Amino acid sequence: MLAEFLNYIEEHSLINYGESILLAVSGGLDSMVMTDLCISAGIEFAAAHCNFCLRGKDSDTDEALVREFMDSGKIRLFSQKFDTVAYARENHISIEMAARELRYKWFETIRAENTFSSVAVAHNLNDNVETILLNLVRGTGIAGLTGMKPRNGYIIRPLLFASRQKIKDYCINKKVPYREDLSNADTKFHRNKIRHLVMPVLREINPSVETTLNNTATRLEGAYDIITSYTDDLRSKISSARKMEIVFDLNQLSELSAKESVLYELFKPYGITASKTRDLNKVINGRTGSQIFTSTHRLLKNRGQLIVMPITESVNTCYEINSANRFMDIPLFKSAELLAIGHGFNTRAGKNTAYFDAGKIIFPVMIRNWQMGDSFQPLGMKHLKKLSDYFIDRKYSLAEKEKALVMISGGKIAWLIGERIDDRFKITEESQQVLRLELKALF
């Protein structure tokens, strides 16, 4: 077992010579065996134990066992109690998800503060197979069928090669102390249903089902690498980045609309799930303005484009500025200054920099979202133009319209911010002083 443990670590480059790691130790069979193997292998490590306070005295007894074991070996231990029930209630998530979020956030905090190279968790071969089956039952793409990985960022799984029986045999032979979590037998939890009710039936069909499914997952991982390479290449060909948005060409997307599996893989980075792929198809083939939301992004059809943008809180912007030096109180601006016009004065305006005749600016100035009915006189024009018409002429997307801000002076729009100033506020031969405003970023 120790030789296999070391070989697995070396094969997947999980721990390099001289590195110190953090072990997640619950006090259960798997994590205590992982700890014993690390001691036998001479790996430098500290331990971290989470007490989720879910099983009364049993939770405290688990903690006591871990503490006693680490004290006996003079191993550094980090221990933390969590009010898991309260966290789950506050965040509207399950107890299982709450415990997962709490422990991984805490592990990462410890790792970063103490410069551990990684955090080792004691998932085993059976856990991996159960995860694959759970993903299959819930609905997943190919990625969900590839199972757990030996490494995922700073998380490593050095026991992933070992079956639960092999771990138990090692524990008996080495007399490693551990605590049995009685909740592992409770089939109200989905994973336990798979473990205790489904797996025994599958073993009747194939006694080596764990190994078989794990090997299948390995082959699927290779297939998934090919699919990922294809979809990444396709995504780069039919989309482009624009500020905070990703813009897809609808003509090319329409050709793929019948292939929902391709759409799923293509838009998975933006939160599309298998169940939402059909809705995405409707947007692609629908009218301008059609949209769907994922947990992380908004996907919006606009003429010949599908625009993907991260979800942000909708904010009604409204600032009142009482003098030129107060522009810097607004988070939009990088700089604001009054300049005297002298010989050779040059206005190098751009979309993020605007120059105004300071004498025409009437305070207080208002910055707000544009409103239907707003009009301005775009620089170089002789007449007023409705902003809504301007947006159409400039081919603004719906998302760009929603974010558009205007600067109001004396009841008139002086600037469609990040786009164009009003001709009535431009610098002329009679101008004596200039207000120069620079945005922090392009709109």
Side-chain angles (χ1 to χ4, degrees):
M1 179 73 162
L2 178 60
E4 289 184 73
F5 180 70
L6 290 171
N7 286 339
Y8 191 78
I9 289 172
E10 182 178 0
E11 179 185 354
H12 296 282
S13 303
L14 300 183
I15 307 170
N16 296 317
Y17 178 78
E19 289 181 342
S20 180
I21 66 172
L22 182 69
L23 301 191
V25 184
S26 67
L29 172 67
D30 300 332
S31 64
M32 293 301 288
V33 165
M34 179 176 68
T35 304
D36 190 82
L37 284 166
C38 285
I39 293 171
S40 299
I43 294 169
E44 184 178 339
F45 70 92
H49 174 79
C50 300
N51 185 337
F52 295 110
C53 301
L54 294 173
R55 297 183 294 113
K57 290 183 179 179
D58 283 340
S59 292
D60 294 334
T61 306
D62 293 348
E63 181 180 347
L65 170 71
V66 173
R67 191 173 299 280
E68 181 181 350
F69 187 88
M70 300 306 163
D71 286 346
S72 67
K74 297 182 179 179
I75 297 166
R76 187 182 183 189
L77 173 66
F78 299 87
S79 183
Q80 180 71 43
K81 282 184 167 66
F82 296 100
D83 190 343
T84 312
V85 174
Y87 183 88
R89 189 184 303 117
E90 290 167 6
N91 292 277
H92 308 290
I93 56 178
S94 68
I95 294 292
E96 291 172 283
M97 183 58 69
R100 174 184 171 81
E101 287 187 7
L102 286 168
R103 68 174 173 266
Y104 281 113
K105 286 179 183 177
W106 183 57
F107 290 158
E108 176 55 19
T109 298
I110 298 172
R111 188 205 65 78
E113 290 178 351
N114 296 271
T115 63
F116 293 115
S117 62
S118 54
V119 178
V121 294
H123 292 129
N124 61 44
L125 179 65
N126 295 69
D127 294 323
N128 194 24
V129 169
E130 290 158 10
T131 297
I132 292 168
L133 291 175
L134 275 172
N135 288 342
L136 182 62
V137 170
R138 289 168 174 164
T140 182
I142 293 179
L145 300 179
T146 62
M148 300 177 183
K149 304 298 180 287
R151 176 184 287 278
N152 183 9
Y154 290 115
I155 302 298
I156 62 173
R157 298 181 174 92
L159 269 190
L160 207 53
F161 72 94
S163 68
R164 192 169 288 123
Q165 186 59 53
K166 180 175 287 189
I167 292 170
K168 195 164 188 177
D169 291 342
Y170 177 91
C171 179
I172 293 170
N173 291 335
K174 293 292 297 287
K175 296 182 172 59
V176 179
Y178 73 95
R179 288 267 303 164
E180 186 67 55
D181 184 347
L182 297 179
S183 66
N184 287 336
D186 190 345
T187 55
K188 74 178 181 182
F189 299 112
H190 293 159
R191 181 175 290 276
N192 289 345
K193 278 188 172 73
I194 298 287
R195 181 177 300 175
H196 300 298
L197 302 179
V198 176
M199 290 305 298
V201 176
L202 294 180
R203 286 191 200 98
E204 290 178 7
I205 300 171
N206 178 0
S208 303
V209 66
E210 287 90 353
T211 301
T212 300
L213 287 176
N214 191 64
N215 290 340
T216 299
T218 300
R219 289 191 291 273
L220 284 173
E221 185 175 358
Y224 182 65
D225 288 342
I226 296 171
I227 293 170
T228 300
S229 177
Y230 165 75
T231 52
D232 287 349
D233 182 59
L234 177 62
R235 193 181 298 112
S236 68
K237 289 179 179 177
I238 67 175
S239 71
S240 59
R242 185 176 66 193
K243 301 172 187 176
M244 295 294 290
E245 304 168 351
I246 305 295
V247 181
F248 284 82
D249 181 87
L250 266 178
N251 289 331
Q252 297 181 75
L253 271 183
S254 296
E255 297 175 5
L256 301 170
S257 62
K259 304 173 183 177
E260 289 191 358
S261 58
V262 177
L263 286 181
Y264 169 73
E265 296 295 340
L266 196 60
F267 288 92
K268 189 172 61 175
Y270 314 118
I272 280 291
T273 60
S275 61
K276 276 193 174 286
T277 306
R278 187 165 298 176
D279 296 330
L280 173 60
N281 223 334
K282 290 178 181 177
V283 170
I284 291 171
N285 294 292
R287 296 182 299 178
T288 287
S290 300
Q291 63 182 332
I292 59 169
F293 292 84
T294 71
S295 60
T296 57
H297 287 76
R298 176 185 179 194
L299 289 79
L300 170 70
K301 181 173 181 177
N302 185 66
R303 301 187 184 91
Q305 300 174 331
L306 182 73
I307 302 171
V308 181
M309 64 203 86
I311 293 175
T312 56
E313 290 186 17
S314 179
V315 178
N316 289 323
T317 300
C318 187
Y319 298 110
E320 184 176 292
I321 302 163
N322 293 305
S323 63
N325 61 356
R326 306 307 295 181
F327 277 99
M328 294 304 292
D329 294 342
I330 309 303
L332 297 173
F333 295 101
K334 180 179 179 181
S335 65
E337 55 186 340
L338 289 171
L339 305 171
I341 294 182
H343 179 70
F345 180 82
N346 183 21
T347 59
R348 296 178 181 176
K351 285 200 171 187
N352 64 332
T353 306
Y355 292 82
F356 306 88
D357 183 330
K360 297 174 182 177
I361 298 294
I362 300 172
F363 290 97
V365 164
M366 185 76 69
I367 290 177
R368 62 163 172 81
N369 300 92
W370 83 284
Q371 299 170 358
M372 190 60 68
D374 279 343
S375 297
F376 82 131
Q377 186 176 327
L379 182 66
M381 291 190 178
K382 303 298 182 183
H383 55 81
L384 291 175
K385 190 178 188 69
K386 287 186 177 180
L387 279 182
S388 55
D389 293 336
Y390 182 86
F391 292 151
I392 292 172
D393 292 346
R394 300 289 292 176
K395 293 183 170 54
Y396 266 51
S397 70
L398 292 176
E400 288 172 323
K401 291 179 190 177
E402 290 173 1
K403 293 186 293 185
L405 298 176
V406 292
M407 186 175 94
I408 310 293
S409 172
K412 301 174 183 177
I413 293 178
W415 188 18
L416 174 55
I417 296 178
E419 174 66 19
R420 201 164 180 177
I421 72 165
D422 188 293
D423 193 81
R424 293 167 293 182
F425 293 83
K426 69 182 179 182
I427 299 169
T428 66
E429 292 181 356
E430 289 76 31
S431 300
Q432 298 179 3
Q433 197 173 35
V434 171
L435 172 65
R436 178 186 180 277
L437 299 176
E438 183 178 1
L439 298 170
K440 285 185 178 177
L442 280 173
F443 273 58

